[in-house]
Amino acid sequence: MQETFMIEILLAVFIFGTLIGSFLNVVIYRIPNGESIVFPSSKCPSCQTSLKWYHNIPIFSWLFLRGKCGFCKTPISKQYPIVELLTGIIFALLYVKLGLVWYLPFVAASFAALLALVMIDFKYMAVPDNVNFAALLFALIQPNFLDAMMYGAIAAGGLYLIGLFSSLIARREAMGGADVIVAGTMGALLGFPNFFMALFLSAILAMIPAMIWRDKGVPFVPFLALATFIVYLYDTDTLHLLNTLIYG
């Protein structure tokens, strides 16, 4: 009985996550273009026709419409169902990790904002401040609020100083302000020393793509976000690994 109840909650959390993912698609499309995320209602970017409510059902609408607009039949990007599915998975995994605690929605919202940053950074090579600060704000809403503020400030300040010295040595900007804000979010979510493990993991994750697309350049925020999520889920394993590396 208890297990069935847990599965039902997990499914409900996943569905809610896909709904948030649908909203994230609006954020990803509109904010880089300087549009409001509230008004007007969703419309086809090709024919500009306002969508019906049943065109906005996460994942299923895209499948039902066979990946095409219901009016002009223009292909709809696979990004939409992928973002919705990923957000649902993120919410479900965080529920498995934390349980049904009061701060679960805020942690999930922080990672959802990071996912939006990832998609925008991949698509536009830009990181909007309003979404970035939203991720940081949500990350701070937790039981250890003061610790989260302190860790976030230290992480952001430390990365800013590293970027400043690197810029002076290289005589060009070595790190953007967006990376500093993301570091603050990482510090608030992970604390120390997990923040450093996430930084190390993000560098490893980015290594091969950076070598493959050396001329084009690879955004770093997606790897920071992915590493943060992995370390957040496996925090105790990360600490155990760190102790093993240090003490043997």
Side-chain angles (χ1 to χ4, degrees):
M1 186 70 177
Q2 183 71 19
E3 185 177 343
T4 303
F5 181 66
M6 293 284 288
I7 293 174
E8 289 175 351
I9 295 178
L10 180 63
L11 180 60
V13 170
F14 172 79
I15 293 172
F16 181 71
T18 63
L19 293 172
I20 298 299
S22 182
F23 172 71
L24 288 186
N25 279 317
V26 175
V27 171
I28 293 164
Y29 178 79
R30 294 190 183 186
I31 284 186
N33 294 312
E35 300 178 21
S36 169
I37 60 174
V38 180
F39 300 105
S41 59
S42 296
K43 58 186 178 182
C44 171
S46 181
C47 66
Q48 301 297 307
T49 306
S50 295
L51 303 181
K52 304 293 185 182
W53 67 268
Y54 48 83
H55 291 154
N56 287 318
I57 300 174
I59 303 173
F60 290 104
S61 289
W62 190 88
L63 294 173
F64 178 76
L65 294 170
R66 297 181 180 178
K68 297 179 180 179
C69 171
F71 302 103
C72 67
K73 306 306 178 184
T74 300
I76 302 171
S77 172
K78 294 183 179 66
Q79 168 200 302
Y80 292 91
I82 289 173
V83 169
E84 291 161 356
L85 178 62
L86 285 177
T87 312
I89 293 172
I90 288 170
F91 275 51
L93 289 176
L94 289 173
Y95 165 70
V96 172
K97 166 72 177 178
L98 300 174
L100 208 59
V101 294
W102 69 265
Y103 55 93
L104 172 62
F106 301 105
V107 175
S110 183
F111 279 110
L114 287 176
L115 176 59
L117 289 179
V118 167
M119 301 304 296
I120 293 171
D121 204 13
F122 270 132
K123 193 171 184 178
Y124 300 98
M125 292 291 284
V127 180
D129 288 339
N130 46 6
V131 181
N132 209 352
F133 278 114
L136 176 58
L137 177 63
F138 287 129
L140 293 172
I141 304 175
Q142 55 172 289
N144 300 317
F145 171 73
L146 294 178
D147 287 343
M149 280 194 65
M150 179 181 67
Y151 292 140
I154 293 173
L159 205 64
Y160 172 77
L161 290 176
I162 292 172
L164 181 62
F165 287 126
S166 300
S167 299
L168 291 174
I169 294 171
R171 295 184 180 180
R172 63 183 178 87
E173 187 178 47
M175 189 173 298
D179 297 323
V180 173
I181 301 169
V182 172
T185 303
M186 293 171 65
L189 286 170
L190 302 176
F192 296 115
N194 281 344
F195 168 76
F196 299 109
M197 293 296 291
L199 272 184
F200 178 68
L201 178 59
S202 65
I204 293 175
L205 293 172
M207 191 178 300
I208 294 178
M211 289 189 293
I212 295 174
W213 292 284
R214 183 181 302 175
D215 296 333
K216 185 178 179 181
V218 175
F220 194 45
V221 167
F223 302 101
L224 288 173
L226 177 58
T228 301
F229 187 63
I230 293 172
V231 173
Y232 189 88
L233 290 180
Y234 298 100
D235 53 348
T236 53
D237 294 326
T238 302
L239 288 173
H240 178 70
L241 175 62
L242 183 62
N243 286 329
T244 303
L245 291 174
I246 294 175
Y247 303 107

